[in-house]
Amino acid sequence: GEEPAPPPGPKRRRICGRARPAPPASGIRVDGIADVLVRFASCCNPLPGDEVIGFVTRGRGVTVHQKDCQHAFTLDPDRRIPVQWEAKSAQPRLVKVRAVSMDQPGVLAKITKSISGAGVNIGAARVKTSAADQTAVHEFDLWVADLRALTGVMKEIERVRGVLSVERVR
């Protein structure tokens, strides 16, 4: 029989006669250059608007951390490289947010309504209640474009009656 055609892969570019995957539109400039392979550190999940620093990683391009990320301080200073956000950033990024509220009927619904009202999509939601102190901890994975959008949605969550605190989780 005939071999089935391979599934379409990432877009490829011809460079010096060799094909290589096109780097994703990260929205980051590395030392002034836009199309360097970039990964975002999962320890601090940097967003456009955060102050960032890059680290050259062997075989994986540049990893971008928030400048004040504790993990970034442990990395080799010789591998640091300046990085900046592009004026027009790329795709929305996933960020974790934790809200603590009173454990009351309807609070979760009001929080999710405040998030969608801010124009933000929820990637995942987890809620744990504590009978001991009658609170609920809500953890959300939110798709946000930049730091300003994150700040805006956190302010909306804070306005919900019964919410005690809201924080970005690293």
Side-chain angles (χ1 to χ4, degrees):
E2 262 183 58
E3 295 257 333
K11 262 198 246 170
R12 296 179 95 65
R13 281 188 190 170
R14 286 254 167 232
I15 300 212
C16 304
R18 283 196 343 232
R20 70 174 174 89
S26 66
I28 284 279
R29 292 182 79 75
V30 177
D31 221 4
I33 303 161
D35 72 346
V36 173
L37 182 62
V38 166
R39 294 172 56 243
F40 293 98
S42 57
C43 49
C44 58
N45 281 324
L47 274 180
D50 284 327
E51 284 193 54
V52 286
I53 183 81
F55 290 87
V56 177
T57 53
R58 290 178 187 87
R60 293 189 297 183
V62 173
T63 301
V64 177
H65 288 263
Q66 287 186 29
K67 256 196 176 135
D68 62 353
C69 171
Q70 291 304 307
H71 185 70
F73 291 121
T74 66
L75 298 171
D76 180 357
D78 292 340
R79 295 186 8 226
R80 286 184 183 201
I81 189 166
V83 296
Q84 305 83 31
W85 294 105
E86 295 275 14
K88 190 177 171 201
S89 71
Q91 309 298 318
R93 302 202 23 80
L94 204 56
V95 175
K96 291 186 186 315
V97 171
R98 180 183 299 125
V100 178
S101 75
M102 299 306 296
D103 184 14
Q104 299 167 339
V107 174
L108 175 60
K110 289 176 192 162
I111 293 173
T112 56
K113 188 176 177 187
S114 74
I115 293 169
S116 60
V120 170
N121 283 331
I122 299 171
R126 296 164 296 281
V127 181
K128 289 183 194 142
T129 58
S130 165
D133 59 4
Q134 296 179 345
T135 60
V137 177
H138 312 260
E139 289 194 349
F140 297 98
D141 296 349
L142 302 179
W143 289 100
V144 294
D146 54 27
L147 189 57
R148 194 168 70 191
L150 176 62
T151 304
V153 74
M154 287 174 65
K155 282 183 178 159
E156 290 302 314
I157 295 169
E158 277 178 343
R159 288 193 182 116
V160 173
R161 187 182 300 256
V163 170
L164 306 171
S165 67
V166 182
E167 64 179 341
R168 179 176 177 179
V169 180
R170 288 198 184 169

